[in-house]
C-alpha cells in the first residue's frame, strides 16, 4: 500500500514564503509525475505545478513567477516553494502522484495540507 504524506502547511503572513513537502511511502511502487493542486474556499481544485521524473515541470501560468516545484527522487518526495504569498493563496494544497504499484498504473492523492495567508 502506498500513501502520500504532506507537511509544511500552516499560517503565514502575506509576503512571506512557505515550503510544502509530500513524501510517497510504501512498498513496490515507482512514482512518475508528482505535483500539487489546491482548492480555495468556494472554488474548484486547480493545478499548481507538476514535475516528472526527469525534472520537467509545468505550472499554472499565474503562479510560475512565485512558486517553484522540485523533487528528490531518492526520497520519493516532492516540494513546493511558495514565495510572496497573498491572501489569494489561502487554500488546501493537495499532493498528487501518478505511479505504478505492483505493476499496475494508477494515481494517488494526499490528504491535503491547509495554507492560511493572513496578517
Amino acid at each position: 500500500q502506498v500513501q502520500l504524506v504532506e507537511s509544511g502547511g500552516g499560517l503565514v503572513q502575506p509576503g512571506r514564503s512557505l515550503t510544502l513537502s509530500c513524501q510517497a511511502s510504501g512498498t513496490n511502487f515507482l512514482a512518475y509525475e508528482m505535483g500539487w493542486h489546491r482548492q480555495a474556499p468556494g472554488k474548484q481544485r486547480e493545478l499548481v505545478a507538476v514535475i516528472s521524473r526527469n525534472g520537467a515541470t509545468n505550472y499554472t501560468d499565474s503562479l510560475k513567477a512565485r512558486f517553484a516545484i522540485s523533487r528528490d527522487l531518492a526520497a520519493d518526495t516532492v516540494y513546493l516553494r511558495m514565495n510572496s504569498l497573498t491572501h489569494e493563496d489561502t487554500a488546501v494544497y493537495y499532493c498528487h502522484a501518478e505511479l505504478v504499484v505492483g505493476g499496475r498504473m494508477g494515481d494517488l492523492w494526499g490528504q491535503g495540507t491547509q495554507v492560511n495567508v493572513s496578517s
Side-chain angles (χ1 to χ4, degrees), residues 29-75:
F29 76 94
L30 181 65
Y32 286 90
E33 184 177 275
M34 297 185 73
W36 294 92
H37 292 65
R38 70 182 185 181
Q39 187 165 17
K43 295 187 178 181
Q44 291 186 331
R45 191 175 297 189
E46 64 173 353
L47 171 71
V48 175
V50 295
I51 184 168
S52 67
R53 288 189 64 83
N54 65 7
T57 59
N58 187 34
Y59 293 85
T60 288
D61 287 343
S62 61
L63 301 176
K64 190 172 185 177
R66 298 187 295 117
F67 288 15
I69 190 170
S70 60
R71 184 170 179 174
D72 182 340
L73 288 175

